[in-house]
Amino acid sequence: EQCVQFTFFRTLLETVVPFFKVTVVRNPITKLLSGFRDKVLRRTTTGIKSFMLEANPNLTEDSSDAEKYAAFVQALVSDDIQIVDRHFVTQWNTMKICDFPYDMILQTETTKEQIMEMKEHVNATQFTFPGSRSEVGLEKAGESTLEKTKEMYSKIGPDLMDKLYSFFLWDFVLTGYSKLDNPNFPHLDLEQDFDLEFGHLIKNYESRVTQVPGTDATHPVTADNHQSTTDTHQSTSYSKRSKG
């Protein structure tokens, strides 16, 4: 079976060589929150799913959305609770960022300008492409995306936040996204000190490693081979490196 998968993937890579290859990513912090609001809060009468009660048995319908989200995050990063939903998995593994030869990686936070850049690359400036509702600057019900994000993460303590960063570690490291407390949040910050921001998480990962959290795959990048993350950034076009 693995041989068949490898042959298929190799054939796919050979087939797409002439094409301009694009994928779209989003800051894991806002992406996860968006998924929670859509798949949990809006699709249940109580805003609670059973696995959240495993993380916090005291959760009730009257609990705040931030408290419910904290229980959701606790369940997501727990080794004892299983959540099967493709909306909450890692992006780097789903889109094979390490293996597939993308020409451009777009970010939903700055979709409008990046679509223009992509159209110029493929000579399609005469066509209209839809933007993203998650683009920073758009407001809904008088509340900015940034304000709502910080409010929803307000019940998540430092230890749990660290576990969440560890869960999405390679999404941050490979795509250059910033943490919630970074001034560039939620934009890219490829100039950040990755050893300072994520070095301890990489070391913790290597100490218990065999598989990447949230996936069934191992990851090729280690602290000793950290240069490969830089190579990924340099070989792929990012339309906007940071908020500035």
Side-chain angles (χ1 to χ4, degrees):
E1 182 180 351
Q2 291 181 340
C3 183
V4 172
Q5 291 177 347
F6 174 77
T7 301
F8 171 78
F9 192 68
R10 185 176 62 182
T11 302
L12 175 63
L13 293 180
E14 294 172 351
T15 303
V16 300
V17 167
F19 299 97
F20 189 78
K21 299 162 287 296
V22 178
T23 190
V24 182
V25 294
R26 185 176 181 180
N27 191 302
I29 294 297
T30 53
K31 182 178 183 296
L32 183 65
L33 175 57
S34 176
F36 169 77
R37 296 177 70 182
D38 182 52
K39 305 303 176 185
V40 180
L41 291 184
R42 294 172 184 162
R43 303 199 184 193
T44 61
T45 56
T46 62
I48 299 173
K49 289 201 171 184
S50 58
F51 60 78
M52 295 162 58
L53 293 173
E54 295 183 54
N56 182 3
N58 297 319
L59 209 60
T60 69
E61 182 177 357
D62 295 327
S63 298
S64 68
D65 288 349
E67 290 171 328
K68 294 175 182 178
Y69 186 57
F72 169 81
V73 171
Q74 180 67 61
L76 181 70
V77 301
S78 172
D79 293 330
D80 303 320
I81 303 174
Q82 186 175 19
I83 301 176
V84 182
D85 192 314
R86 61 185 176 85
H87 295 92
F88 308 131
V89 300
T90 56
Q91 297 172 81
W92 78 266
N93 186 54
T94 301
M95 294 182 285
K96 307 301 179 188
I97 288 178
C98 291
D99 305 309
F100 196 80
Y102 292 109
D103 295 298
M104 179 180 285
I105 296 179
L106 282 68
Q107 302 83 46
T108 59
E109 294 82 6
T110 49
T111 307
K112 185 177 297 184
E113 73 174 66
Q114 294 182 320
I115 286 178
M116 287 300 299
E117 183 175 340
M118 180 191 69
K119 288 163 65 175
E120 292 174 0
H121 274 289
V122 298
N123 195 26
T125 55
Q126 71 272 31
F127 298 105
T128 301
F129 291 83
S132 169
R133 292 178 298 173
S134 65
E135 186 161 4
V136 172
L138 298 181
E139 296 189 351
K140 186 175 182 179
E143 193 166 35
S144 73
T145 302
L146 183 57
E147 290 172 351
K148 185 62 178 178
T149 300
K150 291 186 174 181
E151 176 189 333
M152 290 294 286
Y153 277 89
S154 64
K155 299 297 182 180
I156 298 178
D159 290 343
L160 181 55
M161 201 68 194
D162 224 29
K163 290 181 180 179
L164 184 61
Y165 286 134
S166 181
F167 188 91
F168 290 110
L169 175 61
W170 301 115
D171 277 357
F172 284 102
V173 172
L174 292 174
T175 62
Y177 269 119
S178 53
K179 291 182 175 181
L180 184 59
D181 58 357
N182 187 306
N184 278 318
F185 179 86
H187 297 81
L188 300 184
D189 185 2
L190 300 186
E191 304 303 327
Q192 65 184 309
D193 186 332
F194 282 100
D195 287 331
L196 177 64
E197 296 287 345
F198 299 101
H200 68 292
L201 296 178
I202 294 176
K203 289 180 180 178
N204 289 341
Y205 164 76
E206 289 181 322
S207 68
R208 57 182 173 75
V209 107
T210 56
Q211 294 186 332
V212 175
T215 76
D216 58 358
T218 56
H219 197 281
V221 180
T222 67
D224 294 332
N225 190 27
H226 184 65
Q227 181 63 36
S228 60
T229 65
T230 304
D231 293 341
T232 299
H233 297 321
Q234 293 176 344
S235 63
T236 306
S237 173
Y238 289 83
S239 184
K240 187 157 187 172
R241 294 174 65 85
S242 68
K243 186 176 181 179

